[in-house]
Amino acid sequence: MATSAIRDPLPDILIALPVVILACKAGAQLVRRVGQPPVVGEMMVGILLGPSLLGWVWPDAAAWLFPASVLPYLGVLGNLGLLAFMFLVGLELDLGSLRGHSKTAVAVSQASIAVPLLLGSLLALGMYGSFAPDGVQRLQFVMFIAVSMSITAFPVLARILTDRGLYRTRVGALAMACAAVDDVTAWCLLAVVVALAQSSSPFEAVTTAVAAIAFTLAMYYVVRPVLARWAARAERAYTESVVLIVLFSGLCLSALATDEIGVHALFGAFLFGVVTPRGSRVIERQAARLRAFTVPVLLPLFFVTTGLKTDMSLLASDPRQWLWAAAVLAVAVMAKWGGAASAARVAGQNWRDALSIGALMNCRGLTELVVLNIGLSLGVIGPDLFTILVLMALLTTAVTSPALNLIRRGAPEEELPELATDATDATDTERGVDAAGAANAVDVAGPAGLVDASGGSARRPAAIR
């Protein structure tokens, strides 16, 4: 009998995985030395391993490292890491940080969304003829570009605040509150865009929206109380491995539900994190375990799969593409930074603090890459515009720390009394959850640790929960 020679992809996967993970860790460590958050290095490594550099200067090496048989497996593993990451973002989303800042936070966050939505829509109308893929309706394209301009990277913002010692200050607390409101609003808007893109008729789009709202209400009013009662018993009634299994299974099933509804699996994972009880010692320990594996091991695969879709040669072939790239960057910075800073100034902040908040809200990071990958997978944008928007995400993230250094130079930073704590804070993300000490690891890295695949310590105030 003749047998078909099917190459086993496992050896190729066992080569690609350590190369990607180690390269991303090296990139994260390198950029930390120059004051950048680790995600900047990981984004750069992903791009450099793709067709923009490795595939351009050494195509044989790129084909050997990332053969076609490996790419689907890298994509699946990276998406699993991304689902876990979105669960952790939802779990760490602290709307309690709005206390004392609610009016200002809502005003600033809504301005930092409304202005990019407006200017992004105007820009998208001009780009539609040149960049919209065939068959994409004008409304879908315009709404996606507008939403992509309005994103703020909540976890990266937290890391920058932590690294600069601003986490416990008035500016830091206000920025976190603004980012929390911004995050929720932007994801809701993106859910609308996804529903429109995946619907073949207005009736189907409305049906998808109604189903998504019903699922959200069920998660909040049914699943959340059940989880709260279960968490109260989990400390004494279940082993830690059972809690981890329940959390991971829950985020997967919630992701499956929203994927079936038609608003993407990531929304379900994020929503499950939002409704998971906070303050439970056993849940925090298992969230730390989940973070310790997914962030440094699985999440880098997402950066590389993004980098493999980013091709700078698409821009090099046409000088007009670089003009569009400059226009996208200019609109993104002016709309997000300018809108947030202006709103903060009107709300009573001094110019130094207003510009600082604007710079922080302009940070897009990993969250922007998630949004762009959704747009590319839905066919709303093509590879050329995807590349332009990835560059915008990288540059707006990289400029945040230097901008803050310049704006805050010489400014006294006083901690807020209500955020002060005499207990030492979070342990190292990885050290706090290793096998020997996980049972006693109560505190976790918090949102600042979500995108730190470098393993550096992430300190946060205990009261920020």
Side-chain angles (χ1 to χ4, degrees):
M1 293 179 61
T3 57
S4 57
I6 300 177
R7 177 178 172 81
D8 183 5
L10 183 59
D12 294 329
I13 294 173
L14 295 180
I15 293 173
L17 284 179
V19 169
V20 169
I21 294 167
L22 292 173
C24 283
K25 186 173 179 72
Q29 295 280 36
L30 184 63
V31 299
R32 282 184 68 85
R33 293 178 179 273
V34 294
Q36 291 286 350
V39 68
V40 172
E42 292 162 340
M43 292 169 68
M44 292 176 62
V45 167
I47 294 173
L48 296 178
L49 288 177
S52 298
L53 182 65
L54 182 62
W56 176 51
V57 301
W58 197 0
D60 290 342
W64 174 80
L65 183 58
F66 301 115
S69 60
V70 166
L71 299 183
Y73 297 95
L74 293 183
V76 168
L77 291 173
N79 283 330
L80 277 177
L82 196 56
L83 288 174
F85 172 81
M86 292 307 300
F87 162 75
L88 293 169
V89 170
L91 181 63
E92 298 295 344
L93 188 62
D94 182 24
L95 295 179
S97 62
L98 291 175
R99 283 192 295 270
H101 305 288
S102 56
K103 292 183 179 179
T104 302
V106 170
V108 172
S109 62
Q110 297 310 305
S112 72
I113 288 180
V115 177
L117 282 175
L118 176 61
L119 297 184
S121 296
L122 295 175
L123 178 65
L125 288 172
M127 301 175 75
Y128 179 77
S130 301
F131 291 98
D134 294 337
V136 174
Q137 298 177 7
R138 188 183 301 270
L139 178 61
Q140 297 171 354
F141 181 82
V142 170
M143 285 190 64
F144 179 82
I145 298 301
V147 171
S148 69
M149 292 288 179
S150 67
I151 296 298
T152 292
F154 175 75
V156 183
L157 183 148
R159 164 57 61 187
I160 293 172
L161 289 174
T162 302
D163 288 347
R164 278 202 45 84
L166 292 172
Y167 208 109
R168 305 178 188 179
T169 65
R170 181 173 54 82
V171 171
L174 179 56
M176 287 298 294
C178 293
V181 177
D182 190 293
D183 225 31
V184 173
T185 306
W187 282 110
C188 291
L189 290 171
L190 185 60
V192 174
V193 176
V194 173
L196 285 173
Q198 292 190 325
S199 302
S200 57
S201 67
F203 176 76
E204 187 177 343
V206 172
T207 303
T208 300
V210 171
I213 292 171
F215 179 76
T216 302
L217 293 175
M219 290 291 288
Y220 190 82
Y221 290 107
V222 179
V223 176
R224 182 169 171 265
V226 170
L227 282 175
R229 288 193 295 269
W230 175 78
R233 296 168 46 208
E235 189 79 43
R236 61 183 183 276
Y238 302 106
T239 63
E240 303 231 331
S241 60
V242 169
V243 176
L244 180 59
I245 290 170
V246 169
L247 291 178
F248 187 75
S249 300
L251 76 89
C252 289
L253 292 174
S254 182
L256 174 63
T258 54
D259 188 58
E260 291 295 321
I261 288 171
V263 290
H264 207 280
L266 293 175
F267 298 106
F270 174 76
L271 188 57
F272 186 74
V274 171
V275 302
T276 298
R278 289 151 181 79
S280 168
R281 295 161 63 91
V282 67
I283 286 180
E284 290 202 355
R285 287 196 295 268
Q286 301 320 304
R289 284 180 184 271
L290 189 61
R291 177 186 298 109
F293 177 73
T294 57
V295 171
V297 176
L298 294 182
L299 208 53
L301 304 179
F302 171 74
F303 289 111
V304 168
T305 54
T306 299
L308 292 175
K309 303 169 192 171
T310 305
D311 189 356
M312 299 294 183
S313 66
L314 297 175
L315 308 185
S317 60
D318 186 355
R320 290 175 299 179
Q321 300 277 43
W322 287 108
L323 294 178
W324 279 116
V328 167
L329 180 62
V331 169
V333 173
M334 288 189 298
K336 195 71 177 179
W337 194 339
S342 299
R345 181 65 181 132
V346 171
Q349 304 299 308
N350 61 51
W351 273 115
R352 188 192 298 267
D353 289 350
L355 289 173
S356 299
I357 292 170
L360 288 163
M361 297 298 286
N362 187 52
C363 176
R364 289 176 171 85
L366 174 58
T367 309
E368 180 76 13
L369 297 188
V370 173
V371 172
L372 298 181
N373 274 275
I374 291 175
L376 186 64
S377 66
L378 293 174
V380 178
I381 58 174
D384 48 358
L385 184 53
F386 177 82
T387 298
I388 289 174
L389 292 172
V390 167
L391 279 177
M392 179 271 289
L394 176 62
L395 293 174
T396 54
T397 305
V399 78
T400 304
S401 289
L404 271 183
N405 290 338
L406 183 62
I407 296 168
R408 307 301 299 178
R409 182 179 298 169
E413 309 291 1
E414 296 183 3
E415 292 187 6
L416 292 175
E418 64 268 24
L419 291 183
T421 176
D422 41 14
T424 56
D425 307 310
T427 59
D428 182 276
T429 303
E430 294 170 357
R431 186 180 66 244
V433 293
D434 76 27
N440 298 316
V442 176
D443 208 356
V444 290
L450 287 176
V451 290
D452 186 9
S454 67
S457 61
R459 300 180 63 84
R460 66 171 176 87
I464 203 67
R465 278 258 187 217

